Amino acid sequence: MALLELRDVSKNFGGLQAVNHVSLHVNECEILGLIGPNGAGKTTLFSLIGGYYYPNSGRITFRDHDITGLQPNAICKLGLARTFQLVKPFANLTVFDNVMVGAFNRTASRSEAKERAQQVIEFVGLNGREAQMARELPTPGRKRLELARALATQPTMLLLDEVMSGLTPTESATLVALIRQIRGRGISVLVVEHVMRAIMALSDRIAVLHHGEKIADDLPENVTKDPKVIQAYLGDEFMLSEV
Amino acid sequence: MAKVDLVNALPAPRSTVLVLALRGLVFVIVLVLPLVLDSYLLSLAILILFWGLLGQGWNIMGGYAGQFSFGHAAFYGLGAYTSTWLLVNAGVNPWIGMLAGGLVAVVFGLFTGFLTFRYGLRGPYFALATFAFAEMLRLIAINWEVVNKSRGIQVPLRGTDSLLAFQFETTKVPYYYIILGMVLFTLALTYWIDHSKLGYYFKAIRENEEAAAALGVNPLRYKLLAMSISAFITAMGGTFYSQYLLFIDPEIVFGPQASVEILLRPIIGGAGTVLGPIVGALLLTPLSEFARTLLREPPGFLALLRGHAGTDMMVFGALLIVTIILMPSGLVGWVAKHWNRLVKR
C-alpha cells in the first residue's frame, strides 16, 4: 500500500520547469532512492513534499491525508520527517537538547522526551557526545544528529536529503547500515542521493529524475541498465561510443 | 542514568549543597535588605529589581525565542498608560489596571507580531519594525488629548499608604517587596519555561527556524506566544513604574531610550539564560546611577563633563559592543561556559 503518493506534481520558478508532472509513490517499509544529475529537480521535489513549496499543480497524499500545501510543522506532526541537505543543527544547543526538540513532537513531558532522546542518540551512535555543543560536531556527527532529530519526532516515514554527501566511504557504509535498521523498525525512507554506490546498495527501488521529469522507476539493477538513465547521466557521446 | 546526569552537567554533590546554601543566603539577604538600607540605597535596590523585571520580560522574546525587539517601550508604555489612565479617569484599582495593561500589551503584541512574523521579518528588519511600532505609540500619545498629550499623566496623591491602592507616600519599603515579588515570580516562570517544551521550542526557533519547523514546531504560534508572555511582563513593569514615581509622559515610557535600557541589561547579563537579566541589572543599574550623578556634579578634574547628559549612554553603547564581541552569550553564558575551568583552578 502506498504510504506517500505524488500525483502529477509540477513546480515552476518563472520560466524554469523544475518539476514536470511527476507521479511517484513510496510503499510502507520501503526504501525508495531518488537520483538524477545536478539540477534534475530532486531537492525541489523534496521541498514540495516537505511543505516548503506549494506545487503549481498536482496533489500529494500521505497516509491518506492530502498534505499539499500544509505547513512543514503540520507535515511533521503527521509522521513525515525530513533532514536537510545542508545540515541545520541548533548550533548553540547541546547534542542532547537538539534531539530533545524533536522528541517534544509527540509529548509535552520533559522526562518522556528525555527518555526518547536518549534512545535515539544511542541508536545513531552519538552517545558520549550528549553534552557537546552541536557546533563542535564534525561533519559525520552533524549528519547523525540531523538523523537523530528527525527520528526523535517518531515518524512513519523519513525524507533524507543527501545524508551521505561529504562522508568517506566507510562513514557512508555505516550510515547505510543505520538506514537499513531504521527501515527494519517499520519506517519507510525516501533518499535523495548523489553517491551512487550507496544508493544502489540501499534502495529497494529507484526513481530517476532528469530535467524535472521522471525517466525511470524500477529495481536498482534495471535502472543502471536503462539507456535513458545512462544518457541522462553521461550524455549522448557516451551512448554513441557504446554503440 | 549516568549519561543523563552528564547531560545536565550538574556539579559534584558537595558543590550542589554549597549552591543550595548560597541560594538560601542570597534569599535571606534579599528579604532583610530594606531593614538595613538607607533611603538612597533602597531606591537603588528597587531600581535594580525594576530593571531586572523589564529585562526578564525582554529576555523571553529576545533571549529565548531570539526575536530581537528594539521597541519594548511599546509594551512598557501601554502597561503604564493603561493602568494610570484607568486609575485617573475611571478610578480603577491599579492592581486591576496592571492586568488590564498586560492584556492591552498582549493584544498589541499579537497584532504587531502577526503582521511582522506573517510577512517573514527577521533579525534587523524585525528589530526596526518593533522600533517603529513603539515610536508610533509615542507619537500617538504626544498628540492625543485623551492621554494629556505630551504633558503626561500624574497619579493623584492620596496622603496615605495603601497596599490595596498600590500607592505609598511615606515609605518605599513596600515597593521593594512588591517588585521583589514580581521579579521572583518571573524568575520562576523563566526557569519553568527554560526547562519545558516551550523553552526548547523557543530556543529551536532562535537557532534555526526552518529546522525547527521540520521538527514539528509551529514557528508563528510559538513566536506569538513568546511575544505575549514578554509583553505582559513588560507591561507589568510599566504599571509599577507609574505607581512608584506617580508620573508618566510619552517620552519616559514610550521613548527609544526606554527600549534601549530594557534590552541593555539582559544582553550584557546573558540573553536566553534564567539569571542573565538580573545579573545585568545588578551590574548596570548602579553604574548608570553613578554615571548620572557624576555627570550632574562632576569633580573638579572632570569638569569638562558637566552638562553633557547622555555621555553615560555612550559608555553603555561601548560596553554593549564589547560584550557582544567578547561574550556573545553575556556574562552568565560566559561563566557557564568557563565554569569547570574556573572551579578547577
Side-chain angles (χ1 to χ4, degrees):
Chain A
M1 193 193 114
L3 191 63
L4 175 76
E5 192 164 10
L6 279 72
R7 260 168 296 154
D8 214 20
V9 172
S10 294
K11 175 73 185 173
N12 60 287
F13 300 103
L16 177 75
Q17 192 74 35
V19 173
N20 196 0
H21 297 286
V22 170
S23 294
L24 195 71
H25 70 277
V26 183
N27 295 317
E28 264 172 38
C29 286
E30 186 184 29
I31 300 180
L32 176 72
L34 182 64
I35 61 170
N38 279 329
K42 303 183 299 283
T43 297
T44 306
L45 194 68
F46 227 70
S47 300
L48 286 168
I49 301 170
Y52 289 84
Y53 294 140
Y54 192 89
N56 296 103
S57 67
R59 309 306 295 175
I60 304 168
T61 52
F62 177 67
R63 288 166 76 194
D64 300 325
H65 296 275
D66 188 341
I67 60 165
T68 324
L70 280 190
Q71 292 294 310
N73 50 286
I75 290 173
C76 176
K77 278 272 182 309
L78 283 174
L80 183 56
R82 70 165 293 180
T83 63
F84 291 91
Q85 181 179 357
L86 296 167
V87 290
K88 299 178 189 293
F90 302 132
N92 297 310
L93 301 185
T94 61
V95 166
F96 192 80
D97 285 351
N98 264 267
V99 183
M100 281 289 276
V101 174
F104 275 121
N105 188 44
R106 297 269 179 251
T107 176
S109 146
R110 183 174 154 86
S111 56
E112 264 177 49
K114 266 188 166 176
E115 209 173 295
R116 175 79 195 156
Q118 192 61 44
Q119 281 170 7
V120 175
I121 284 174
E122 276 165 31
F123 178 70
V124 303
L126 276 175
N127 33 336
R129 294 182 169 239
E130 290 92 339
Q132 228 176 347
M133 288 291 163
R135 61 164 182 273
E136 292 162 3
L137 283 182
T139 308
R142 287 177 189 212
K143 298 268 180 189
R144 278 165 193 267
L145 178 60
E146 191 86 0
L147 199 58
R149 283 196 315 200
L151 277 176
T153 66
Q154 306 196 23
T156 32
M157 182 173 167
L158 266 183
L159 303 174
L160 304 178
D161 198 356
E162 306 217 359
V163 275
M164 317 273 185
S165 65
L167 297 185
T168 65
T170 336
E171 285 159 359
S172 60
T174 54
L175 210 52
V176 164
L178 200 61
I179 295 169
R180 282 230 181 80
Q181 262 181 287
I182 292 170
R183 189 260 297 273
R185 295 183 160 198
I187 300 171
S188 310
V189 185
L190 172 60
V191 265
V192 163
E193 202 53 67
H194 251 108
V195 184
M196 288 295 268
R197 187 169 33 166
I199 202 164
M200 288 300 162
L202 181 62
S203 308
D204 300 323
R205 188 160 57 91
I206 286 187
V208 187
L209 279 188
H210 185 45
H211 291 319
E213 288 175 47
K214 190 170 87 171
I215 57 167
D217 188 344
D218 210 336
L219 299 174
E221 54 267 36
N222 296 342
V223 163
T224 46
K225 287 184 227 134
D226 191 325
K228 271 190 295 182
V229 177
I230 298 169
Q231 188 181 15
Y233 262 89
L234 302 169
D236 293 327
E237 284 170 40
F238 182 79
M239 289 299 290
L240 290 175
S241 66
E242 274 291 89
V243 173
Chain B
M1 218 193 290
K3 278 169 201 136
V4 180
D5 284 347
L6 183 79
V7 168
N8 289 333
L10 286 173
R14 207 193 319 160
S15 57
T16 312
V17 175
L18 196 73
V19 165
L20 274 178
L22 260 172
R23 269 185 208 160
L25 188 69
V26 169
F27 190 67
V28 170
I29 290 175
V30 161
L31 275 186
V32 300
L33 213 52
L35 308 176
V36 293
L37 293 182
D38 66 19
S39 167
Y40 174 76
L41 286 178
L42 182 64
S43 54
L44 184 62
I46 292 173
L47 272 184
I48 289 172
L49 290 170
F50 166 73
W51 286 115
L53 176 77
L54 293 177
Q56 209 58 270
W58 185 90
N59 190 32
I60 302 286
M61 185 171 135
Y64 279 94
Q67 305 303 308
F68 193 97
S69 163
F70 204 72
H72 253 49
F75 306 133
Y76 176 53
L78 281 174
Y81 262 95
T82 305
S83 67
T84 312
W85 190 89
L86 284 174
L87 170 66
V88 173
N89 294 282
V92 175
N93 181 292
W95 291 105
I96 296 168
M98 181 158 76
L99 294 181
L103 290 180
V104 169
V106 168
V107 169
F108 185 78
L110 288 175
F111 173 67
T112 57
F114 185 79
L115 285 181
T116 48
F117 297 142
R118 172 71 187 74
Y119 292 99
L121 292 191
R122 292 187 192 181
Y125 300 100
F126 175 74
L128 281 176
T130 57
F131 178 73
F133 282 124
E135 280 294 277
M136 195 180 82
L137 290 182
R138 184 176 69 89
L139 292 172
I140 289 174
I142 285 177
N143 292 294
W144 199 16
E145 191 54 55
V146 174
V147 295
N148 274 356
K149 294 193 165 174
S150 53
R151 297 187 301 278
I153 308 180
Q154 191 122 30
V155 177
L157 294 177
R158 297 167 48 91
T160 55
D161 294 345
S162 162
L163 179 63
L164 189 67
F166 201 154
Q167 198 167 326
F168 307 88
E169 284 156 25
T170 62
T171 168
K172 284 179 185 166
V173 174
Y175 285 116
Y176 176 86
Y177 286 112
I178 289 172
I179 192 74
L180 179 64
M182 286 174 161
V183 166
L184 289 178
F185 168 75
T186 52
L187 264 180
L189 180 72
T190 312
Y191 181 84
W192 177 80
I193 289 174
D194 192 53
H195 286 73
S196 70
K197 177 175 177 174
L198 202 58
Y200 279 91
Y201 275 21
F202 285 171
K203 285 182 253 184
I205 289 171
R206 175 188 71 200
E207 293 295 317
N208 192 316
E209 208 174 308
E210 234 188 336
L215 298 175
V217 181
N218 182 338
L220 180 63
R221 180 196 296 171
Y222 282 92
K223 282 199 275 189
L224 288 178
L225 248 170
M227 186 92 144
S228 305
I229 300 170
S230 188
F232 197 93
I233 294 173
T234 311
M236 277 172 48
T239 300
F240 178 86
Y241 178 89
S242 182
Q243 291 306 119
Y244 178 50
L245 292 174
L246 305 177
F247 173 72
I248 53 170
D249 75 17
E251 212 55 54
I252 298 173
V253 295
F254 282 125
Q257 182 157 358
S259 291
V260 174
E261 293 242 20
I262 289 172
L263 62 83
L264 212 52
R265 290 165 178 83
I267 290 180
I268 290 181
T273 63
V274 177
L275 288 176
I278 300 296
V279 170
L282 212 53
L283 222 70
L284 283 196
T285 313
L287 193 68
S288 143
E289 290 306 299
F290 173 72
R292 214 167 284 170
T293 353
L294 191 75
L295 289 174
R296 205 162 40 228
E297 288 157 15
F301 69 99
L302 285 174
L304 72 150
L305 287 179
R306 183 187 298 277
H308 289 71
T311 316
D312 51 336
M313 286 308 280
M314 288 167 66
V315 173
F316 285 157
L319 201 59
L320 191 63
I321 292 169
V322 171
T323 311
I324 287 173
I325 291 172
L326 295 181
M327 305 185 288
S329 46
L331 232 127
V332 171
W334 187 84
V335 170
K337 197 173 150 193
H338 296 89
W339 179 251
N340 285 327
R341 218 185 311 158
L342 288 174
V343 170
K344 270 175 199 151
R345 208 173 272 167

